[in-house]
Amino acid sequence: MDCAALEPSLYTVKAIFILDNDGNRLLSKYYDLVLYPSMKEQKNFEKNVFNKTHKADNEIAFLEGMTIVYKSSIDLFFYVVGSAQENELMLMAVLNCLFDSLSQMLRKNVEKRTLLDNMDGVFLVVDEIIDGGVILESDPQQVIEKVNYRGDDSPLSEQSVAQVLQSAKEQIKWSILK
């Protein structure tokens, strides 16, 4: 057995994706591009995962040397993928954080249409939970606060966008003056 494979690493999550009840991709982020470098390989992996899990009542699956935790809600399937040696509880914490954050953001209406209507916020939630395969946050309340999602048409309030633009202008001005 390869010793390097058993070394602890911060790079816990290999991929995260959300599929509809037909197995079609709604969102996916792959953090280990060596594993599935092309879109074709990624979609093939997702199809295999969906075929193995969509009728099962379990919460965990092992496929192609990967540990996969998953959850379904109405017409959506949520997946978090890690290596075979990865701690299932860590992956499940990410999955629960993702689901609970989206549930809170979408006002407990976690279904395909609502998810698609709020896709910008969904991507922000995923990015707050995981960055490059490293778990950043596992508390849904903290994720929602960081995303600052209001639930209307925009994930950011108008004031925060204006503040960001003003701050950027000031930084550019000071870098030019130096």
Side-chain angles (χ1 to χ4, degrees), residues 1 21-22 26-27 60 63 77 80 82-83 86 131-132 158 160:
M1 182 169 265
N21 59 352
D22 295 322
L26 301 177
L27 173 143
I60 188 167
L63 184 68
F77 289 85
V80 176
S83 68
E86 197 52 64
D131 183 25
E158 296 300 322
S160 64

Side-chain angles (χ1 to χ4, degrees), residues 15-24 26-27 49-50 52-61 67-81 88-104 108 110-112 115 129 138 140:
I16 189 167
F17 50 93
I18 302 173
L19 306 178
D20 67 10
N21 59 352
D22 295 322
N24 299 315
L26 301 177
L27 173 143
V49 168
F50 181 76
K52 182 171 182 168
T53 61
H54 78 282
K55 291 183 180 174
D57 288 335
N58 305 327
E59 295 179 334
I60 188 167
T67 301
I68 304 156
V69 295
Y70 61 96
K71 178 181 277 200
S72 65
S73 170
I74 304 173
D75 56 355
L76 298 173
F77 289 85
F78 299 84
Y79 297 93
V80 176
V81 181
E88 296 90 359
L89 295 175
M90 290 292 291
L91 297 175
M92 190 58 79
V94 171
L95 178 66
N96 288 333
C97 182
L98 173 66
F99 185 82
D100 294 344
S101 297
L102 293 178
S103 179
Q104 190 172 345
K108 306 216 181 293
V110 185
E111 60 184 358
K112 183 178 177 180
L115 186 98
I129 298 170
S138 61

Side-chain angles (χ1 to χ4, degrees), residues 124-125 127-129 136-149 155-156 160:
L124 288 172
V125 165
D127 288 343
E128 282 299 327
I129 298 170
L136 299 177
E137 187 62 66
S138 61
D139 179 9
Q141 192 61 43
Q142 291 293 318
V143 171
I144 290 299
E145 286 177 17
K146 287 179 185 174
V147 169
N148 192 23
Y149 200 86
L156 299 174
S160 64

Side-chain angles (χ1 to χ4, degrees), residues 160-172:
S160 64
V161 171
Q163 288 172 341
V164 168
L165 291 174
Q166 183 62 32
S167 175
K169 286 179 186 177
E170 289 174 15
Q171 287 176 350
I172 292 170

